C-alpha cells in the first residue's frame, strides 16, 4: 500500500469552488491508465451517490451517457496532462464540458477527487465536505455521470431547464 500525504478534493457548483485537504491512501498508484465510466469503481460511486440521496429523502439520479462522457473526458484530461482542477487543460469548466457533449441544462455541478483507493473512500470524503455534500445532495439534480481514470474520480450532476 502506498500513502499520499494529502490529496486535494475540490467541488464546483457553477462558479464556486471549495478546497478541502484529506489524508488519503491508495494502492498501485503506478498502474497503467485504467478508465471507467459507468462501470467498476465509477458504477459503485454512482450507487453510493444514490444511496446517500435516498437516505436524505431525495430522488435518485439517472446516469446518462452525456454526463458519463463529460466526466470521463475530464478525468482522462487530468490523468493524461498531470493536473487536478475543475478547469480543463483547454480552459473548459464543468458547464462547458457538459454542454459540449450535448446537454443543455439549468443546473450543473461537479465533484472531483484524486488518490482515494475506493469509491467508498471518495464518497466518505465528499460527504464530510460541505461543498461536495451540497452537490451530491442537490435537490435540483436529476442526472449524473461518473468516471474513474487511474485514481482521478469525477462526478457530474445536472438537470434540464
Amino acid at each position: 500500500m502506498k500513502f499520499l500525504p494529502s490529496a486535494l478534493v475540490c467541488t464546483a457548483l457553477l462558479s464556486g469552488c471549495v478546497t478541502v485537504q484529506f489524508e488519503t491512501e491508495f494502492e498501485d498508484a503506478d498502474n497503467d491508465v485504467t478508465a471507467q465510466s459507468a462501470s467498476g469503481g465509477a458504477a459503485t460511486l454512482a450507487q453510493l451517490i444514490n444511496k446517500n440521496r435516498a437516505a436524505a429523502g431525495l430522488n435518485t439520479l439517472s446516469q446518462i451517457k452525456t454526463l458519463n462522457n463529460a466526466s470521463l473526458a475530464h478525468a482522462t484530461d487530468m490523468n493524461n496532462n498531470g493536473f487536478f482542477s475543475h478547469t480543463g487543460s483547454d480552459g473548459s469548466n464543468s458547464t462547458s464540458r457538459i454542454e459540449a457533449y450535448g446537454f443543455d441544462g439549468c443546473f450543473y455541478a461537479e465533484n472531483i477527487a484524486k488518490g482515494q483507493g475506493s469509491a467508498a473512500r471518495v464518497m466518505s470524503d465528499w460527504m464530510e465536505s460541505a461543498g461536495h455534500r451540497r452537490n451530491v445532495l442537490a435537490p435540483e439534480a436529476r442526472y449524473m455521470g461518473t468516471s474513474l481514470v487511474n485514481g482521478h474520480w469525477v462526478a457530474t450532476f445536472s438537470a434540464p431547464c
Side-chain angles (χ1 to χ4, degrees):
M1 182 163 297
K2 298 182 181 184
F3 291 91
L4 181 67
S6 64
L8 195 59
V9 182
C10 191
T11 180
L13 176 60
L14 297 174
S15 62
C17 187
V18 176
T19 56
V20 179
Q21 202 160 348
F22 293 104
E23 293 297 313
T24 62
E25 60 182 87
F26 60 100
E27 293 186 41
D28 302 323
D30 299 324
N31 283 354
D32 293 333
V33 173
T34 356
Q36 299 176 359
S37 178
S39 65
T44 302
L45 182 60
Q47 292 168 355
L48 292 172
I49 288 168
N50 275 332
K51 180 179 177 182
N52 279 276
R53 289 181 63 84
L58 297 167
N59 63 299
T60 58
L61 305 179
S62 300
Q63 276 200 296
I64 59 172
K65 185 177 181 179
T66 309
L67 297 183
N68 281 336
N69 288 341
S71 293
L72 184 58
H74 190 51
T76 300
D77 183 28
M78 288 191 293
N79 180 72
N80 291 350
N81 293 298
F83 70 96
F84 181 71
S85 172
H86 288 286
T87 303
S89 63
D90 61 356
S92 63
N93 61 31
S94 60
T95 299
S96 63
R97 284 188 295 274
I98 292 168
E99 289 178 346
Y101 278 92
F103 190 90
D104 185 24
C106 288
F107 170 79
Y108 299 96
E110 176 180 79
N111 284 359
I112 61 175
K114 179 181 176 186
Q116 290 85 345
S118 69
R121 181 63 188 261
V122 170
M123 198 74 242
S124 174
D125 288 351
W126 285 351
M127 295 308 284
E128 292 175 8
S129 159
H132 293 98
R133 183 180 185 86
R134 180 181 63 234
N135 288 348
V136 168
L137 301 179
E140 60 270 47
R142 294 294 172 261
Y143 304 112
M144 73 172 145
T146 58
S147 64
L148 167 61
V149 178
N150 208 28
H152 294 82
W153 301 82
V154 178
T156 54
F157 307 94
S158 197
C161 294

Coordinates of all heavy atoms in Angstrom, one line a residue, residues 63-127:
Q63 N -28.1 7.9 -14.4 CA -26.9 8.1 -15.2 C -27.2 8.2 -16.6 O -28.0 7.4 -17.2 CB -25.9 7.0 -15.0 CG -25.1 7.1 -13.7 CD -23.8 6.3 -13.8 OE1 -23.9 5.0 -13.8 NE2 -22.7 6.9 -13.7
I64 N -26.6 9.3 -17.3 CA -26.9 9.4 -18.7 C -25.5 9.5 -19.4 O -24.5 10.0 -18.9 CB -27.8 10.6 -19.0 CG1 -27.2 11.9 -18.5 CG2 -29.2 10.4 -18.5 CD1 -27.9 13.2 -19.0
K65 N -25.5 9.0 -20.6 CA -24.3 9.0 -21.4 C -23.6 10.3 -21.6 O -22.4 10.4 -21.5 CB -24.6 8.4 -22.8 CG -23.4 8.1 -23.7 CD -23.9 7.5 -25.0 CE -22.7 7.2 -25.9 NZ -23.0 6.6 -27.1
T66 N -24.4 11.4 -21.8 CA -23.8 12.7 -21.9 C -22.9 13.1 -20.7 O -21.8 13.5 -20.9 CB -24.9 13.7 -22.1 OG1 -25.9 13.3 -23.1 CG2 -24.4 15.1 -22.4
L67 N -23.4 12.9 -19.5 CA -22.7 13.2 -18.3 C -21.6 12.2 -18.1 O -20.5 12.6 -17.6 CB -23.6 13.3 -17.1 CG -24.7 14.4 -17.2 CD1 -25.5 14.5 -15.9 CD2 -24.1 15.8 -17.5
N68 N -21.8 11.0 -18.4 CA -20.7 10.0 -18.2 C -19.5 10.4 -19.1 O -18.4 10.3 -18.8 CB -21.1 8.6 -18.6 CG -21.9 7.9 -17.4 OD1 -21.7 8.3 -16.3 ND2 -22.7 7.0 -17.8
N69 N -19.9 10.8 -20.4 CA -18.8 11.2 -21.3 C -18.1 12.4 -20.9 O -16.9 12.5 -21.0 CB -19.4 11.4 -22.7 CG -19.8 10.1 -23.4 OD1 -19.3 9.0 -23.0 ND2 -20.6 10.2 -24.4
A70 N -18.8 13.4 -20.4 CA -18.2 14.6 -19.9 C -17.3 14.3 -18.7 O -16.1 14.9 -18.6 CB -19.2 15.7 -19.5
S71 N -17.7 13.5 -17.8 CA -16.9 13.1 -16.6 C -15.7 12.3 -17.1 O -14.6 12.6 -16.6 CB -17.7 12.2 -15.7 OG -18.8 12.9 -15.1
L72 N -15.8 11.4 -18.0 CA -14.7 10.6 -18.5 C -13.7 11.5 -19.2 O -12.5 11.3 -19.0 CB -15.2 9.5 -19.4 CG -14.1 8.5 -19.9 CD1 -13.4 7.8 -18.7 CD2 -14.8 7.4 -20.7
A73 N -14.2 12.4 -20.0 CA -13.2 13.3 -20.7 C -12.4 14.1 -19.8 O -11.2 14.3 -19.9 CB -14.0 14.2 -21.7
H74 N -13.0 14.6 -18.7 CA -12.3 15.4 -17.7 C -11.3 14.6 -16.9 O -10.2 15.0 -16.7 CB -13.2 16.2 -16.8 CG -12.5 17.2 -16.0 ND1 -11.6 18.1 -16.5 CD2 -12.5 17.4 -14.6 CE1 -11.1 18.9 -15.6 NE2 -11.6 18.5 -14.4
A75 N -11.7 13.4 -16.5 CA -10.8 12.5 -15.7 C -9.6 12.1 -16.6 O -8.5 12.1 -16.1 CB -11.6 11.3 -15.2
T76 N -9.9 11.8 -17.8 CA -8.8 11.5 -18.8 C -7.9 12.6 -19.0 O -6.6 12.5 -19.0 CB -9.4 11.0 -20.1 OG1 -10.3 9.9 -19.9 CG2 -8.3 10.6 -21.1
D77 N -8.4 13.8 -19.2 CA -7.6 15.0 -19.3 C -6.7 15.3 -18.1 O -5.5 15.5 -18.3 CB -8.5 16.2 -19.6 CG -7.8 17.5 -19.9 OD1 -6.7 17.5 -20.4 OD2 -8.4 18.6 -19.5
M78 N -7.3 15.2 -16.9 CA -6.4 15.4 -15.7 C -5.3 14.3 -15.7 O -4.2 14.7 -15.3 CB -7.3 15.3 -14.5 CG -8.2 16.5 -14.3 SD -9.0 16.6 -12.7 CE -10.1 15.2 -12.7
N79 N -5.7 13.1 -15.9 CA -4.7 12.0 -15.8 C -3.6 12.2 -16.9 O -2.4 12.1 -16.6 CB -5.4 10.6 -16.0 CG -4.4 9.5 -16.0 OD1 -3.9 9.2 -14.9 ND2 -4.1 8.9 -17.1
N80 N -4.0 12.4 -18.1 CA -3.0 12.5 -19.2 C -2.1 13.7 -19.2 O -1.0 13.7 -19.7 CB -3.7 12.4 -20.6 CG -4.4 11.1 -20.9 OD1 -4.1 10.1 -20.1 ND2 -5.2 11.0 -21.9
N81 N -2.7 14.8 -18.6 CA -1.9 16.0 -18.6 C -1.4 16.4 -17.2 O -0.8 17.5 -17.0 CB -2.8 17.2 -19.1 CG -3.0 16.9 -20.6 OD1 -2.1 16.9 -21.4 ND2 -4.3 16.7 -21.0
G82 N -1.5 15.5 -16.2 CA -0.9 15.7 -14.9 C -1.3 16.8 -14.1 O -0.5 17.5 -13.5
F83 N -2.6 17.1 -14.0 CA -3.1 18.2 -13.2 C -4.4 17.7 -12.5 O -4.9 16.6 -12.7 CB -3.4 19.4 -14.0 CG -4.6 19.3 -14.9 CD1 -5.9 19.8 -14.5 CD2 -4.5 18.8 -16.2 CE1 -7.0 19.7 -15.4 CE2 -5.6 18.6 -17.0 CZ -6.8 19.1 -16.6
F84 N -4.8 18.5 -11.5 CA -6.0 18.2 -10.7 C -6.8 19.5 -10.5 O -6.4 20.4 -9.7 CB -5.6 17.6 -9.4 CG -6.8 17.2 -8.5 CD1 -7.6 16.2 -8.9 CD2 -7.1 17.9 -7.4 CE1 -8.7 15.8 -8.1 CE2 -8.2 17.6 -6.6 CZ -9.0 16.5 -6.9
S85 N -7.8 19.8 -11.3 CA -8.5 21.0 -11.2 C -9.9 20.9 -11.9 O -10.0 20.0 -12.8 CB -7.7 22.1 -12.0 OG -8.4 23.3 -12.1
H86 N -10.8 21.8 -11.6 CA -12.0 21.8 -12.3 C -11.9 22.5 -13.7 O -12.7 22.4 -14.6 CB -13.1 22.6 -11.5 CG -13.6 21.8 -10.4 ND1 -14.4 20.7 -10.5 CD2 -13.3 21.9 -9.1 CE1 -14.7 20.2 -9.3 NE2 -14.0 20.9 -8.4
T87 N -10.8 23.2 -13.9 CA -10.5 23.8 -15.2 C -9.7 22.8 -16.0 O -8.6 22.4 -15.6 CB -9.7 25.1 -15.0 OG1 -10.4 26.0 -14.2 CG2 -9.5 25.8 -16.4
G88 N -10.2 22.5 -17.2 CA -9.6 21.5 -18.1 C -8.3 22.1 -18.7 O -8.1 23.4 -18.7
S89 N -7.5 21.3 -19.3 CA -6.3 21.8 -19.9 C -6.6 22.7 -21.1 O -5.7 23.5 -21.5 CB -5.4 20.6 -20.4 OG -6.1 19.8 -21.4
D90 N -7.8 22.7 -21.6 CA -8.2 23.6 -22.7 C -8.9 24.8 -22.2 O -9.5 25.6 -23.0 CB -9.1 22.8 -23.7 CG -10.3 22.3 -23.1 OD1 -10.5 22.4 -21.8 OD2 -11.1 21.7 -23.8
G91 N -9.0 25.0 -20.9 CA -9.7 26.1 -20.3 C -11.1 25.9 -20.0 O -11.8 26.7 -19.5
S92 N -11.6 24.7 -20.3 CA -13.0 24.3 -20.1 C -13.4 24.3 -18.6 O -12.5 24.0 -17.8 CB -13.4 23.0 -20.8 OG -12.7 22.0 -20.2
N93 N -14.7 24.4 -18.3 CA -15.2 24.2 -16.9 C -16.2 23.1 -17.0 O -16.6 22.7 -18.1 CB -15.7 25.5 -16.3 CG -16.8 26.1 -17.1 OD1 -17.7 25.4 -17.7 ND2 -16.9 27.4 -17.0
S94 N -16.8 22.8 -15.9 CA -17.8 21.7 -15.9 C -19.0 22.0 -16.8 O -19.4 21.1 -17.5 CB -18.2 21.3 -14.5 OG -18.8 22.4 -13.9
T95 N -19.5 23.2 -16.8 CA -20.6 23.6 -17.6 C -20.3 23.4 -19.1 O -21.0 22.8 -19.8 CB -21.1 25.0 -17.3 OG1 -21.5 25.0 -15.9 CG2 -22.2 25.4 -18.1
S96 N -19.1 24.0 -19.5 CA -18.8 23.9 -20.9 C -18.5 22.5 -21.4 O -18.9 22.1 -22.5 CB -17.6 24.8 -21.2 OG -16.4 24.4 -20.6
R97 N -18.0 21.7 -20.5 CA -17.7 20.3 -20.9 C -19.0 19.5 -21.0 O -19.2 18.8 -22.0 CB -16.9 19.6 -19.8 CG -15.4 19.9 -19.9 CD -14.5 19.1 -19.0 NE -14.8 19.3 -17.6 CZ -14.3 20.2 -16.8 NH1 -13.4 21.1 -17.4 NH2 -14.6 20.3 -15.6
I98 N -20.0 19.7 -20.1 CA -21.3 19.0 -20.2 C -22.0 19.5 -21.4 O -22.6 18.7 -22.2 CB -22.1 19.2 -18.9 CG1 -21.4 18.5 -17.7 CG2 -23.5 18.8 -19.1 CD1 -21.9 18.9 -16.3
E99 N -22.0 20.8 -21.7 CA -22.7 21.3 -22.8 C -22.1 20.9 -24.1 O -22.8 20.6 -25.1 CB -22.8 22.8 -22.7 CG -23.8 23.3 -21.7 CD -23.9 24.8 -21.5 OE1 -23.0 25.5 -22.0 OE2 -24.9 25.2 -20.8
A100 N -20.8 20.7 -24.1 CA -20.1 20.3 -25.3 C -20.5 18.8 -25.7 O -20.4 18.5 -26.9 CB -18.5 20.3 -25.1
Y101 N -20.9 18.1 -24.8 CA -21.4 16.7 -25.0 C -22.9 16.7 -25.3 O -23.5 15.6 -25.4 CB -21.1 15.8 -23.9 CG -19.7 15.3 -24.1 CD1 -18.6 15.9 -23.4 CD2 -19.3 14.2 -24.9 CE1 -17.3 15.5 -23.6 CE2 -18.0 13.8 -25.0 CZ -17.0 14.4 -24.4 OH -15.7 14.0 -24.6
G102 N -23.5 17.9 -25.4 CA -24.9 18.0 -25.9 C -26.0 18.1 -24.9 O -27.2 18.0 -25.2
F103 N -25.6 18.3 -23.6 CA -26.6 18.5 -22.6 C -26.9 20.0 -22.4 O -25.9 20.8 -22.1 CB -26.2 17.9 -21.3 CG -27.3 17.8 -20.2 CD1 -28.2 16.7 -20.2 CD2 -27.5 18.9 -19.4 CE1 -29.2 16.7 -19.3 CE2 -28.6 18.8 -18.4 CZ -29.4 17.7 -18.4
D104 N -28.1 20.4 -22.4 CA -28.5 21.8 -22.2 C -29.3 21.9 -21.0 O -30.5 21.4 -20.9 CB -29.2 22.4 -23.4 CG -29.5 23.9 -23.3 OD1 -28.8 24.5 -22.6 OD2 -30.5 24.3 -23.9
G105 N -28.7 22.4 -19.9 CA -29.4 22.4 -18.6 C -29.4 23.7 -17.9 O -28.9 24.7 -18.4
C106 N -30.0 23.7 -16.7 CA -30.1 24.9 -15.9 C -29.4 24.7 -14.6 O -29.3 25.6 -13.8 CB -31.6 25.2 -15.6 SG -32.4 25.9 -17.1
F107 N -28.9 23.5 -14.3 CA -28.1 23.2 -13.1 C -26.9 22.3 -13.5 O -27.1 21.3 -14.2 CB -29.0 22.4 -12.1 CG -28.2 21.9 -10.9 CD1 -27.8 22.7 -9.9 CD2 -27.8 20.6 -10.9 CE1 -27.1 22.2 -8.8 CE2 -27.1 20.1 -9.9 CZ -26.7 20.9 -8.8
Y108 N -25.7 22.7 -13.1 CA -24.5 22.0 -13.3 C -23.7 21.9 -12.0 O -23.6 23.0 -11.3 CB -23.7 22.6 -14.4 CG -24.3 22.7 -15.7 CD1 -25.0 23.9 -16.1 CD2 -24.3 21.7 -16.6 CE1 -25.6 24.0 -17.3 CE2 -24.9 21.8 -17.9 CZ -25.6 22.9 -18.2 OH -26.2 23.0 -19.4
A109 N -23.1 20.8 -11.7 CA -22.2 20.7 -10.6 C -21.2 19.6 -10.9 O -21.5 18.7 -11.7 CB -22.9 20.5 -9.3
E110 N -20.0 19.7 -10.2 CA -19.0 18.7 -10.4 C -18.2 18.4 -9.2 O -17.9 19.4 -8.5 CB -18.1 19.2 -11.5 CG -16.9 18.3 -11.8 CD -16.0 18.9 -12.9 OE1 -15.2 19.8 -12.6 OE2 -16.1 18.4 -14.1
N111 N -18.0 17.2 -8.8 CA -17.1 16.8 -7.7 C -15.9 16.1 -8.4 O -16.1 15.3 -9.3 CB -17.7 15.9 -6.7 CG -18.7 16.6 -5.8 OD1 -18.9 17.8 -5.9 ND2 -19.3 15.8 -4.9
I112 N -14.7 16.4 -7.9 CA -13.5 15.6 -8.3 C -12.8 15.2 -7.1 O -12.9 15.8 -6.0 CB -12.6 16.4 -9.3 CG1 -12.1 17.7 -8.6 CG2 -13.4 16.8 -10.5 CD1 -11.1 18.5 -9.5
A113 N -12.0 14.1 -7.2 CA -11.2 13.6 -6.2 C -10.0 12.9 -6.8 O -10.1 12.4 -8.0 CB -12.0 12.6 -5.3
K114 N -8.9 12.8 -6.1 CA -7.7 12.1 -6.6 C -7.1 11.3 -5.5 O -6.9 11.8 -4.4 CB -6.8 13.1 -7.2 CG -5.5 12.5 -7.7 CD -4.6 13.6 -8.3 CE -3.3 13.0 -8.7 NZ -2.3 14.0 -9.1
G115 N -6.7 10.1 -5.8 CA -5.9 9.3 -4.9 C -6.6 8.3 -4.0 O -6.0 7.4 -3.4
Q116 N -7.9 8.5 -3.8 CA -8.6 7.6 -2.9 C -8.7 6.2 -3.6 O -8.9 6.1 -4.8 CB -10.1 8.1 -2.7 CG -10.1 9.3 -1.8 CD -10.0 10.6 -2.6 OE1 -9.6 10.6 -3.7 NE2 -10.4 11.7 -1.9
G117 N -8.5 5.2 -2.9 CA -8.4 3.8 -3.4 C -9.7 3.1 -3.6 O -9.8 2.0 -4.2
S118 N -10.8 3.8 -3.3 CA -12.1 3.1 -3.5 C -13.2 4.2 -3.6 O -13.1 5.3 -3.1 CB -12.5 2.2 -2.3 OG -12.7 3.0 -1.1
A119 N -14.3 3.8 -4.2 CA -15.5 4.6 -4.3 C -16.0 5.0 -2.9 O -16.5 6.1 -2.7 CB -16.6 4.0 -5.1
A120 N -16.0 4.0 -2.0 CA -16.4 4.3 -0.6 C -15.6 5.4 0.0 O -16.2 6.2 0.7 CB -16.4 3.0 0.2
R121 N -14.3 5.4 -0.2 CA -13.5 6.4 0.4 C -13.8 7.8 -0.2 O -13.9 8.8 0.5 CB -12.0 6.1 0.3 CG -11.1 7.1 0.9 CD -11.3 7.2 2.4 NE -10.5 8.2 3.0 CZ -9.3 8.1 3.6 NH1 -8.8 6.9 3.7 NH2 -8.7 9.1 4.0
V122 N -14.0 7.8 -1.5 CA -14.3 9.1 -2.2 C -15.6 9.6 -1.6 O -15.8 10.8 -1.2 CB -14.5 8.9 -3.7 CG1 -15.1 10.1 -4.4 CG2 -13.1 8.5 -4.4
M123 N -16.6 8.7 -1.5 CA -18.0 9.1 -1.0 C -17.9 9.6 0.4 O -18.5 10.6 0.8 CB -18.9 8.0 -1.1 CG -20.4 8.3 -1.1 SD -20.9 9.1 -2.6 CE -21.4 10.7 -2.0
S124 N -17.1 8.9 1.2 CA -16.9 9.4 2.6 C -16.3 10.7 2.7 O -16.8 11.6 3.4 CB -16.1 8.3 3.4 OG -15.8 8.8 4.7
D125 N -15.3 11.0 1.9 CA -14.6 12.3 1.9 C -15.6 13.3 1.4 O -15.6 14.4 2.0 CB -13.4 12.2 1.0 CG -12.2 11.5 1.6 OD1 -12.3 11.1 2.8 OD2 -11.2 11.2 0.9
W126 N -16.3 13.1 0.3 CA -17.2 14.1 -0.2 C -18.3 14.4 0.8 O -18.7 15.5 0.9 CB -17.9 13.6 -1.5 CG -16.9 13.7 -2.7 CD1 -15.7 14.3 -2.7 CD2 -17.2 13.1 -4.0 NE1 -15.2 14.1 -4.0 CE2 -16.1 13.4 -4.8 CE3 -18.2 12.4 -4.5 CZ2 -16.0 13.1 -6.1 CZ3 -18.1 12.0 -5.9 CH2 -17.0 12.4 -6.7
M127 N -18.8 13.4 1.5 CA -19.9 13.7 2.5 C -19.4 14.4 3.7 O -20.2 15.0 4.4 CB -20.7 12.4 2.8 CG -21.4 11.7 1.6 SD -22.5 12.8 0.7 CE -23.9 12.9 1.9

